[in-house]
Structure formats: structure tokens, C-alpha cells
Amino acid sequence: MLKMLFFGLILLCLSFQAVGYEKVDFYFHKISLERGLSNSTVYSMTQDRNGNLWVGTSDGLNKYDGYHFSVYRHDATVASSICSNQIRCVKMDGLGLLWIGTMQGLSFYDAQKNAFENYSFSQNDDCVQIYDIDFLNSTELLLATNFGLYVFDRQSHSFLKAEGFPNLKVFSVLRHSDFVLVGTLNGLHRYYPHTGKSEPVSSLFPNSQISSLLHDSKNGIVWAGTEGKGLFR
């Protein structure tokens, strides 16, 4: 049931690409608060290797096994609880490890302990807010934050500002071959981590907030979702 639900959602999002293909009908069942979902505002989803669906909401992280929800919320009295209830992104790395971007920093889920490790920093009394995550390599995470583009070193647990990238609020990030596509409050940028060079990608995006990025590896197409300006590819 869970796999059907998850892949159904993905296929619906991509169905507008399938021009010329056989028409497929999709059937959906609403999973509401009455079923155990912690909040009706969902920002991000991913599926782990055990088939569990992880759902990031504005009031907690949800794990759905196809039948029941487990909800993870911040508890100020428990150091191993998730760092915030406002979940903006949930991403699985190449090792099957779960990383969560929140409005109060970065959380890593330790499945063996069923607990979280939390990482954060502040500037001028404002806490880092993480809107999106991608993986630069096996040891470094790319973070889209309110302070700009950052790299998190999972070995030293340190946050480093991406050298050479302009001081722009970043909402989405996508590693693409030898460069990184970065969606900002002011358009789409191409960033080269090895040289620190950054450049705007297209004149189609001036003064546009790039809220999401998706690479269709099958067709080599990059999709860019904007705030109020539509969908681009």
C-alpha cells in the first residue's frame, strides 16, 4: 500500500511530461489528521530502504509504514529529539541515512537508536533555517539556507559558507555533474564548488524565487519551480 501511494504521488507530479504515452488513471486516498498525520501542511517526503514514507510537516516529522504514523517532535527536555517541529526538507543520502532540514537547523536520524543528532548555528541572533539539502560527496552536504549556500561537513560537524557564492537567501539546491544549481530569492545560479565561481543561469528568472529543483535523469531535463512565476524547464 505504501509503495503504491508513494510512487502514485511521484507519477502524478511527472505525468504532464508523458505526452504521447498511454493514458493512465490514478486513484488517491486522502491521509488526513484523523489517520495520524501530525499536520495538514506537508513540505517534503522521501522513502527509506525499508519502504517507510517520511513526511516533513509544519508540526513534526512523520514516519508512515503504510498502516500507522510515528510522529517525531522537538522536546526541549530531550537532547536527542529533533531540533524543530517545522520541517522543510527530508532527504536520504546514498547510504540510506536520513537528513532533515528544519527552521532551527539540521537533524540527522540515527535509526539504530531511534534518536536525532542536531546541528545548528546563528547569525545576529537568527538561527539557520534549512530549506533544501543535496549531497556534494560522501562527506559533505549542500544546504539551502536563509544565510545563503552552505556546506556541512559530516565528519567535523561544521558549517562552511560556500566560497564565492553571493550573499543571497537560498531555497533550493541541486548537484548536477561538476556544478551545482542554486535556486535563490533572486533567480537561478550555477555554482562551481571547486573554483568558487558563480553565475546566473538564465534571464528567464530575474527577481524570481526558485523554490524547488528536480533533475529528470532519464531525459536530462532540469525542472525549476518558482514562487508565483510558474514552472520552467
Side-chain angles (χ1 to χ4, degrees), residues 149 162-166 178-182 189-200:
L149 181 64
E163 182 180 357
F165 193 79
D178 63 337
F179 61 88
V180 178
L181 289 173
V182 185
H189 292 252
R190 183 185 289 113
Y191 175 68
Y192 297 88
H194 299 296
T195 65
K197 181 182 178 183
S198 175
E199 59 188 10

Side-chain angles (χ1 to χ4, degrees), residues 57-98:
T57 78
S58 61
D59 185 25
L61 176 68
N62 297 246
K63 181 175 74 173
Y64 183 57
D65 64 5
Y67 302 95
H68 307 287
F69 279 96
S70 298
V71 179
Y72 299 88
R73 288 189 174 95
H74 174 67
D75 184 341
T77 66
V78 180
S80 60
S81 69
I82 196 166
C83 62
S84 171
N85 291 333
Q86 298 183 55
I87 314 299
R88 295 308 300 261
C89 63
V90 185
K91 293 293 180 73
M92 196 75 62
D93 67 15
L95 299 175
L97 304 176
L98 189 69

Side-chain angles (χ1 to χ4, degrees), residues 38-49:
S38 65
N39 190 271
S40 57
T41 299
V42 175
Y43 288 108
S44 181
M45 295 184 296
T46 193
Q47 190 176 33
D48 66 24
R49 293 178 177 179

Side-chain angles (χ1 to χ4, degrees), residues 5-155:
L5 169 66
F6 181 75
F7 288 112
L9 290 169
I10 297 298
L11 288 170
L12 177 67
C13 294
L14 299 179
S15 60
F16 53 84
Q17 300 178 45
V19 178
Y21 289 80
E22 181 181 356
K23 181 181 177 181
V24 178
D25 292 324
F26 298 100
Y27 300 92
F28 291 89
H29 299 278
K30 183 177 180 180
I31 301 176
S32 61
L33 304 184
E34 290 74 17
R35 294 280 300 277
L37 184 67
S38 65
N39 190 271
S40 57
T41 299
V42 175
Y43 288 108
S44 181
M45 295 184 296
T46 193
Q47 190 176 33
D48 66 24
R49 293 178 177 179
N50 295 320
N52 297 305
L53 185 66
W54 292 85
V55 183
T57 78
S58 61
D59 185 25
L61 176 68
N62 297 246
K63 181 175 74 173
Y64 183 57
D65 64 5
Y67 302 95
H68 307 287
F69 279 96
S70 298
V71 179
Y72 299 88
R73 288 189 174 95
H74 174 67
D75 184 341
T77 66
V78 180
S80 60
S81 69
I82 196 166
C83 62
S84 171
N85 291 333
Q86 298 183 55
I87 314 299
R88 295 308 300 261
C89 63
V90 185
K91 293 293 180 73
M92 196 75 62
D93 67 15
L95 299 175
L97 304 176
L98 189 69
W99 297 86
I100 306 101
T102 82
M103 297 298 278
Q104 296 288 325
L106 178 69
S107 288
F108 164 73
Y109 177 66
D110 187 329
Q112 292 185 339
K113 298 179 180 178
N114 194 32
F116 296 87
E117 297 175 9
N118 300 313
Y119 310 98
S120 187
F121 72 97
S122 300
Q123 290 183 5
N124 300 321
D125 297 326
D126 291 329
C127 188
V128 63
Q129 301 171 359
I130 299 174
Y131 301 107
D132 196 13
I133 300 171
D134 205 346
F135 303 97
L136 188 58
N137 50 51
S138 61
T139 62
E140 295 178 311
L141 282 68
L142 289 162
L143 306 177
T145 84
N146 54 323
F147 299 145
L149 181 64
Y150 271 76
V151 176
F152 177 77
D153 188 311
R154 66 175 70 185
Q155 295 180 331

